[in-house]
Amino acid sequence: MLAKCGRCGATVEVLGAGRFQCPVCGTTNQIPGALDPEPPSGIETADAPAPRDEAPSPRTRCPACSFEFIVGDIDSAVCPNCREEVSLK
């Protein structure tokens, strides 16, 4: 497969997707489609956050319109669908 250096434009024979160094100017180039096993030096990657093991938020159902919504630790709430006052105690 032929690839072109992004800096000097030299045509280089490569095996496929991945990184290659231009033999003319020494620039490291990347052909899209390669999965890098490790990031380039000097770049830090963030690990994915761990899933939270928290209890789900408390929910209630409006007696007037049957709309279900999340509530906090409160005595009453207003239904966001029909504006009915809903007692939570």
Side-chain angles (χ1 to χ4, degrees):
M1 171 178 174
L2 292 177
K4 208 173 240 195
C5 175
R7 184 172 189 189
C8 70
T11 303
V12 180
E13 180 73 33
V14 294
L15 298 176
R19 294 181 185 185
F20 70 94
Q21 186 172 11
C22 176
V24 176
C25 67
T27 302
T28 301
N29 294 276
Q30 173 100 17
I31 297 176
L35 297 176
D36 292 329
E38 58 187 62
S41 61
I43 298 176
E44 295 181 17
T45 59
D47 294 327
R52 299 187 305 179
D53 291 334
E54 296 176 8
S57 299
R59 299 178 78 85
T60 192
R61 186 176 301 275
C62 176
C65 69
S66 299
F67 184 76
E68 188 175 320
F69 58 99
I70 296 174
V71 294
D73 187 21
I74 54 177
D75 294 334
S76 66
V78 176
C79 174
N81 189 45
C82 70
R83 311 301 295 167
E84 179 77 22
E85 180 89 18
V86 179
S87 177
L88 302 172
K89 294 290 179 183

